[in-house]
Amino acid sequence: MTDPHTARTIVGIIGNVISFGLFCAPIPTIVKIWKMKSVSEFKPDPYVATVLNCMMWTFYGLPFVQPDSLLVITINGTGLFMELVYVTIFFVFATSSVRRKITIAMVIEVIFMAVVIFCTMYFLHTTKQRSMLIGILCIVFNVIMYASPLTVMKLVIKTKSVKYMPFFLSLANFMNGVVWVIYACLKFDPYILIPNGLGSLSGIIQLILYITYYKTTNWNDEDEDNEKRHSNAGIELGQA
């Protein structure tokens, strides 16, 4: 019989694989930007936000914050690198005004992260205290990220069409949430459990909407409305 530690490791590895797939989801968009040499109507906001989210979770997984969380570090460290690449490509091909916004946002994130690290290491002296502070911040940022699909779900209900809510992305988000919920339960970690529990709920609602409105979707409609086309750009992973 598999012991809880081994089971948690296996589940964490599965979670890493699924989360990596979600981190790869923006690649077609980034490739399109690279080929066009322009960001067009695409927005950098989701990628900039995910950078901070990954930084926070990577810090959370460090041994002096939350011991025995190596798999949290591996996936979020990988995600941080990928998101920085996405933001860099966005920056290269963006207009001067967008570049300014990206620069300001990134500077604020770095300063915020530096303040969090300093306060955590200087004022908090146990892993319980540190994991509580960083865990709460991680929950806040994850909840914000998991709220982003609400725009898409609202659009689906309004138009009775799931054309702009990709099925496999919704499924992957649901699976990602479930796997990390299991991971958090095997060695109880409320800071991973809460945001990913909400992520699982968000994912299953998206799947229910997909089943509900699949038949009423006009797949031949070539409407190129930018708001609809890019409204799902905010769907990012709320990785543990």
Side-chain angles (χ1 to χ4, degrees):
M1 186 175 180
T2 306
D3 64 274
H5 177 76
T6 302
R8 189 169 184 263
T9 300
I10 293 172
V11 172
I13 292 173
I14 295 172
N16 269 234
V17 173
I18 297 174
S19 295
F20 180 74
L22 286 172
F23 278 127
C24 290
I27 288 179
T29 297
I30 300 301
V31 170
K32 185 174 182 178
I33 289 172
W34 184 276
K35 289 181 177 179
M36 294 190 305
K37 307 298 182 185
S38 168
V39 299
S40 186
E41 297 297 324
F42 294 105
K43 306 297 182 184
D45 305 28
Y47 314 112
V48 174
T50 307
V51 167
L52 180 59
N53 191 62
C54 288
M55 285 195 293
M56 195 65 67
W57 276 113
T58 301
F59 184 55
Y60 175 83
L62 294 175
F64 48 79
V65 177
Q66 179 70 315
D68 194 27
S69 298
L70 177 62
L71 291 171
V72 175
I73 299 175
T74 55
I75 187 55
N76 285 286
T78 301
L80 176 59
F81 173 77
M82 294 175 71
E83 296 297 329
L84 286 173
V85 171
Y86 299 157
V87 171
T88 300
I89 293 174
F90 238 99
F91 185 86
V92 170
F93 296 112
T95 60
S96 57
S97 60
V98 175
R99 286 183 179 181
R100 190 179 307 111
K101 291 179 181 178
I102 293 175
T103 301
I104 292 172
M106 292 301 294
V107 169
I108 291 174
E109 288 186 2
V110 171
I111 293 174
F112 175 77
M113 197 67 209
V115 171
V116 169
I117 293 173
F118 173 78
C119 292
T120 301
M121 302 306 296
Y122 188 79
F123 296 109
L124 305 177
H125 304 293
T126 66
T127 54
K128 184 177 181 179
Q129 293 174 327
R130 292 170 177 173
S131 62
M132 180 180 292
L133 172 64
I134 305 304
I136 291 173
L137 289 174
C138 286
I139 288 176
V140 171
F141 290 125
N142 262 50
V143 168
I144 292 172
M145 293 184 70
Y146 273 131
S148 61
L150 291 176
T151 304
V152 183
M153 289 188 272
K154 180 180 178 181
L155 178 66
V156 169
I157 296 171
K158 181 180 179 180
T159 62
K160 292 182 171 53
S161 170
V162 294
K163 186 175 181 180
Y164 297 97
M165 187 176 71
F167 172 76
F168 288 107
L169 186 57
S170 298
L171 179 62
N173 271 296
F174 170 67
M175 292 173 60
N176 184 66
V178 169
V179 168
W180 286 109
V181 163
I182 296 172
Y183 178 87
C185 289
L186 288 171
K187 181 182 177 182
F188 187 66
D189 188 329
Y191 308 114
I192 293 179
L193 177 62
I194 293 173
N196 285 286
L198 293 173
S200 300
L201 179 61
S202 172
I204 198 167
I205 291 174
Q206 290 177 56
L207 293 176
I208 291 173
L209 287 175
Y210 197 92
I211 293 171
T212 303
Y213 293 111
Y214 180 82
K215 290 184 178 180
T216 59
T217 300
N218 183 0
W219 298 101
N220 295 320
D221 183 9
E222 296 300 327
D223 179 17
E224 297 296 330
D225 184 272
N226 285 325
E227 180 182 353
K228 293 180 181 180
R229 173 179 288 275
H230 303 305
S231 61
N232 64 346
I235 302 180
E236 289 291 333
L237 13 107
Q239 294 73 16

